[in-house]
Amino acid sequence: MTQPPQQPPNDPPQGGFGAPQDPPPGGFGAPQDPPSGGFGAPPPPGPPQQQPGYGYPQPPTQPGYGYPQPPTQPGYGFPHQGQQQYGYPTAPMQPAYQPPQQGGSGKKFSTQAQIIVAAVVAVALIVGGGIWYASSGGDDKKDEAGSSAGTSGENKGGKGDDGGKDGGTGGKEKAPANVESAVGFQLPQPKVTDVTTVDGSWITDKAYVKTGVNEIVGYDLDKGTKLWSIPLDGQVCAASRHMSKDYKTAVLFEEGKRTKAKKYQSCNKVGALDLATGKLMWNKSITASTGGDRPIRFTEVTLSGNTVAAGGTDGGAAFKLDTGAELWKPKVSTDGCYDAGYGGGEALAAVRKCGTYDDPQLIIQSLNPTTGAPLSSYKMPAGVDYASIVSTKPLVVAADVGDTAGDGSSISDFFSIDETTGKLKIRISADAEKYAARCGSTEVEQCQHLAVGNNRIYLPTEEHEGSGESFSRTNEIVSFDLTTGKQTGDRADAGEKFTMFPLRMDGKNIIAYREPPYDKGGEVVSIDGSTFEQTVLMRNPSDDAVRDAETSFSPDYAEYRYEKGRFFISETMISAPRKSSLNDKEYLVVSFRTS
């Protein structure tokens, strides 16, 4: 689970792994002053761009990730001969031995023969390294996505690619008559002078809602025109990923606007938003029971039913969503315990931290959402400093036990817990070298690229060598049973040159995003929860300018939202514009739609 460093750099990455760092000037999909030579024409040469922050891939000197390269000169993003690339299996670009000469004629193997031998060696290494993800359930199923996604990544068919299926029997998302999407709109990044959190994006029946600078803004779903704005006292510092059925949610924001004299403000304001009307319903700060008059600082917020719960190192508090009435507030505990954070959704759970900084004891509690009283408790094993709540019902927790993940993903194991009794059902080992989900380093509800449903947890595998074109990369989505802990026979292949990860559950189905290679657009697919067959819901344009904008987001620092034929990708963190003579645009949001 190769990930960026724990703390975001001063200039967070604007592009995915190997993706162009700056989309072409003028945006895409709209005539906004295209560069000389026409839209999509190569920009004039200029000085090199500013390098991305420490720990992120440097700009390639060869063609971008995914482009075929000569075997002797691997491209950016692929293992060079004799050099281990972090997070990827070592697979030499040429045979590890010199091919024998033919029948005394003095002629070496043909180039084609050398490539075949190289492919055989690479496959052998992949299999030997444990990165070959056949079904571990014992039935060795072939790729069940073949009829819809195939192994080539071509997804031929154009109408869902499954003979007209409706996207599975367990979900609401159906494939449209034409899955080919068009650009919806794009929003440029607001101008800021320092690293700024823009976490939070939601979809209502009328608006796409996104956090801006000192405001929350509702945009027309298709046109991107501003419908309303909710001004805030300060900058949003955290946002709930959950929303009520009538489009209400919660955010944390700072007590005042940032200035040159005071760049850092305390994140002590809790607020509830009505996204249907574009109104701030209430906002407040609170103090601890015996902590004086200083307002409590929070680091994250969630929503479960009518309860807004906020947590942090000062403890946790909760409020009624509709009125803002206090349900509970942080209390000083004689044993040094406090609620570090909460997971919301169908139920409410807390990560309670006890003990000392050097020797913490974490307790996972299912809570009564009205009183905060624990319904059940489970003590995490020793060696766990932080834990993340992946799901509250069923209760699934992720942790990096003993800091063994070693890749910044904060996941070495998943814990499936009975939320009614607090007993551990099963502990699932998730080898960081095999699986590519990630959680926040200290946050309780910041896991991404995974989904829980059907009594299973769905995980993407790490990228690995494909079986087709030289130097292609691919991966799969697989699942583990939350009762037995065993990997099931579920397996959905991304397809040659594509990689994919889950976005969310849709009833019994899984909605997933397929990241595109250099010559195609990305895709949104529905994976049937019973058969694991894939149905394409959306296929984005392959035009260079559009694809470059789509891949300008780093998946680890972006929010992906799909709903009823509309797809939105947005940043969660922005910074001062990069210095560039090309004046390239950087996007806050890009969107696509099929209808």
Side-chain angles (χ1 to χ4, degrees):
M1 285 177 272
T2 306
Q3 303 297 339
Q6 298 291 331
Q7 298 297 326
N10 288 336
D11 187 3
Q14 303 301 319
F17 179 68
Q21 296 298 312
D22 291 294
F28 66 95
Q32 299 179 0
D33 301 323
S36 58
F39 179 72
Q49 298 178 2
Q50 180 179 350
Q51 297 295 316
Y54 172 76
Y56 294 97
Q58 301 299 313
T61 55
Q62 299 294 326
Y65 173 69
Y67 285 87
Q69 303 285 343
T72 56
Q73 189 69 30
Y76 170 69
F78 299 104
H80 292 260
Q81 186 173 0
Q83 177 182 356
Q84 171 71 41
Q85 295 295 312
Y86 180 66
Y88 297 99
T90 303
M93 297 298 104
Q94 296 183 22
Y97 60 91
Q98 189 68 27
Q101 297 182 354
Q102 293 179 337
S105 62
K107 295 181 180 180
K108 296 182 179 180
F109 272 7
S110 67
T111 302
Q112 181 178 8
Q114 293 186 42
I115 292 175
I116 292 173
V117 173
V120 171
V121 173
V123 169
L125 287 171
I126 293 170
V127 174
I131 315 295
W132 187 258
Y133 296 97
S135 301
S136 64
D139 52 81
D140 283 334
K141 289 190 284 187
K142 293 183 179 179
D143 176 20
E144 290 184 317
S147 62
S148 57
T151 57
S152 67
E154 295 296 333
N155 292 325
K156 297 177 180 178
K159 293 186 179 181
D161 303 318
D162 64 346
K165 290 183 181 179
D166 62 4
T169 58
K172 296 180 180 179
E173 301 291 356
K174 311 302 180 184
N178 182 7
V179 300
E180 305 295 337
S181 73
V183 173
F185 61 86
Q186 69 275 357
L187 303 175
Q189 287 188 16
K191 301 297 183 183
V192 296
T193 59
D194 205 346
V195 176
T196 303
T197 298
V198 286
D199 188 22
S201 59
W202 307 267
I203 302 174
T204 74
D205 58 340
K206 297 180 180 178
Y208 169 74
V209 184
K210 178 63 186 172
T211 294
V213 178
N214 301 319
E215 65 176 349
I216 307 287
V217 183
Y219 300 94
D220 181 272
L221 286 168
D222 296 322
K223 300 177 183 178
T225 52
K226 184 180 289 190
L227 300 177
W228 46 259
S229 172
I230 302 174
L232 302 173
D233 293 342
Q235 184 56 36
V236 168
C237 34
S240 171
R241 60 178 58 187
H242 307 290
M243 181 173 56
S244 67
K245 292 181 179 180
D246 57 350
Y247 306 124
K248 293 180 175 65
T249 191
V251 296
L252 301 178
F253 55 96
E254 296 171 351
E255 62 183 356
K257 293 180 174 61
R258 300 175 183 179
T259 64
K260 289 184 178 180
K262 192 172 183 180
K263 291 184 178 180
Y264 303 100
Q265 299 280 355
S266 178
C267 183
N268 56 37
K269 293 274 192 175
V270 183
L273 310 174
D274 186 335
L275 304 182
T277 62
K279 303 295 183 183
L280 178 64
M281 298 164 56
W282 54 264
N283 75 99
K284 58 176 56 182
S285 298
I286 64 168
T287 59
S289 300
T290 56
D293 296 330
R294 181 179 63 86
I296 293 294
R297 292 176 296 177
F298 298 107
T299 56
E300 57 184 319
V301 65
T302 193
L303 176 67
S304 179
N306 195 42
T307 298
V308 174
T313 56
D314 289 334
F319 313 83
K320 287 187 177 181
L321 174 64
D322 50 0
T323 66
E326 293 181 13
L327 296 174
W328 66 84
K329 60 193 306 182
K331 297 178 181 179
V332 176
S333 173
T334 55
D335 56 3
C337 297
Y338 64 92
D339 289 353
Y342 303 94
E346 290 191 49
L348 186 65
V351 173
R352 191 161 177 81
K353 201 163 191 176
C354 301
T356 64
Y357 178 82
D358 294 329
D359 186 23
Q361 171 65 65
L362 298 188
I363 303 174
I364 309 301
Q365 294 183 330
S366 290
L367 302 181
N368 180 317
T370 302
T371 65
L375 303 176
S376 66
S377 298
Y378 169 75
K379 286 188 177 182
M380 296 291 287
V384 178
D385 295 334
Y386 300 95
S388 297
I389 295 175
V390 179
S391 168
T392 57
K393 193 174 183 179
L395 183 55
V396 181
V397 174
D400 185 2
V401 182
D403 296 325
T404 56
D407 66 343
S409 66
S410 300
I411 303 173
S412 68
D413 297 84
F414 292 100
F415 296 78
S416 177
I417 303 167
D418 188 319
E419 62 267 22
T420 59
T421 65
K423 293 182 178 179
L424 180 67
K425 293 180 181 178
I426 200 70
R427 175 173 167 177
I428 302 171
S429 177
D431 189 335
E433 294 184 358
K434 293 183 180 180
Y435 305 105
R438 73 182 300 267
C439 295
S441 57
T442 60
E443 298 86 355
V444 168
E445 198 178 37
Q446 287 292 319
C447 296
Q448 56 185 347
H449 310 330
L450 75 175
V452 173
N454 305 323
N455 197 43
R456 298 178 180 187
I457 184 168
Y458 299 96
L459 303 176
T461 66
E462 286 282 5
E463 294 180 14
H464 57 84
E465 192 78 15
S467 59
E469 181 179 304
S470 298
F471 318 120
S472 69
R473 311 292 290 178
T474 190
N475 79 328
E476 301 78 30
I477 291 176
V478 297
S479 74
F480 289 84
D481 188 286
L482 292 175
T483 300
T484 67
K486 294 182 179 180
Q487 187 173 334
T488 71
D490 297 340
R491 171 182 157 181
D493 287 1
E496 203 67 32
K497 300 191 293 183
F498 282 84
T499 56
M500 70 177 175
F501 53 83
L503 298 180
R504 63 176 174 87
M505 295 301 297
D506 173 33
K508 294 182 178 179
N509 298 341
I510 306 99
I511 303 297
Y513 175 57
R514 301 178 73 219
E515 298 180 89
Y518 72 94
D519 57 350
K520 298 181 186 300
E523 296 180 354
V524 178
V525 300
S526 175
I527 304 174
D528 189 289
S530 298
T531 66
F532 241 55
E533 291 183 355
Q534 297 181 49
T535 299
V536 176
L537 301 176
M538 173 180 287
R539 181 182 298 116
N540 295 334
S542 59
D543 307 55
D544 287 346
V546 178
R547 190 200 62 83
D548 288 351
E550 180 181 358
T551 57
S552 67
F553 297 82
S554 169
D556 292 338
Y557 290 94
E559 293 171 323
Y560 297 81
R561 302 286 185 263
Y562 178 84
E563 188 94 21
K564 298 177 181 178
R566 297 183 180 93
F567 184 47
F568 304 88
I569 311 175
S570 67
E571 294 286 4
T572 60
M573 190 180 303
I574 58 176
S575 59
R578 292 195 298 268
K579 296 178 182 179
S580 171
S581 62
L582 303 179
N583 194 31
D584 292 340
K585 288 190 176 182
E586 296 173 302
Y587 298 102
L588 175 67
V589 180
V590 298
S591 74
F592 303 88
R593 58 188 175 89
T594 54
S595 59

